[in-house]
Amino acid sequence: MCGETCKHGSEGAGRWRHRPATRHYDNFYGCNISEYAGFDTVCELAAFLGEHGELGAKLYNELSEDLGQARAAFDDYAGEYRSAADFAEQLHEDTGTEIPDSLRYYIDWQALARDMALNGEIMVFQTGFDEVHIFWSR
């Protein structure tokens, strides 16, 4: 026997037949799965992660491991940007806010994006170098 945390065991002894099936899992990008989660739950999470990968896992963990909320959050996906500051600047350009060229260099777009995140307007997830994903928090 390998021990309490291992699924190997002797069927004759009947030890591992009563252990939870989700004790060993890989490729879930660090998502926590209850050791007593049903197979339907695990399969739904696996399908979600297969579709959205690491970004889906970060969103799932941020939203208190609620798969329904994580799926719904993709309806409010604002896009991928090089930084949150680029998102804030693009948002102001898209909304038609006119900023004179003489003042443009005085605007701290990073601080604006940070304030938007702290105020709960957006969620920011970095998945790589120069790879930031923004979601609206509606």
Side-chain angles (χ1 to χ4, degrees):
M1 302 275 177
C2 298
E4 187 61 33
T5 61
C6 189
K7 65 183 177 182
H8 306 102
S10 170
E11 267 189 68
R15 286 190 60 203
W16 75 281
R17 283 185 285 164
H18 301 290
R19 289 188 185 161
T22 58
R23 190 170 294 246
H24 296 278
Y25 56 92
D26 291 324
N27 300 324
F28 277 77
Y29 300 99
C31 289
N32 292 322
I33 300 174
S34 167
E35 61 182 290
Y36 296 103
F39 284 113
D40 291 340
T41 303
V42 175
C43 289
E44 287 178 23
L45 179 58
F48 177 77
L49 295 177
E51 183 179 350
H52 299 291
E54 181 185 2
L55 177 60
K58 288 183 178 207
L59 189 61
Y60 174 77
N61 288 332
E62 177 71 21
L63 297 173
S64 303
E65 300 175 354
D66 185 336
L67 190 55
Q69 283 186 346
R71 282 189 179 123
F74 274 97
D75 293 338
D76 296 322
Y77 181 62
E80 179 183 334
Y81 297 86
R82 290 186 51 192
S83 69
D86 285 351
F87 165 75
E89 186 174 5
Q90 184 66 44
L91 176 66
H92 280 76
E93 288 177 9
D94 291 347
T95 58
T97 305
E98 191 65 35
I99 301 170
D101 288 335
S102 60
L103 299 177
R104 183 168 293 279
Y105 295 106
Y106 291 100
I107 298 174
D108 187 351
W109 296 111
Q110 185 63 39
L112 180 61
R114 183 187 64 242
D115 287 349
M116 291 176 74
L118 290 174
N119 289 334
E121 297 173 47
I122 60 172
M123 293 183 291
V124 180
F125 299 97
Q126 185 165 0
T127 56
F129 182 73
D130 284 348
E131 187 176 307
V132 173
H133 299 269
I134 308 289
F135 291 85
W136 288 105
S137 301
R138 297 182 185 161

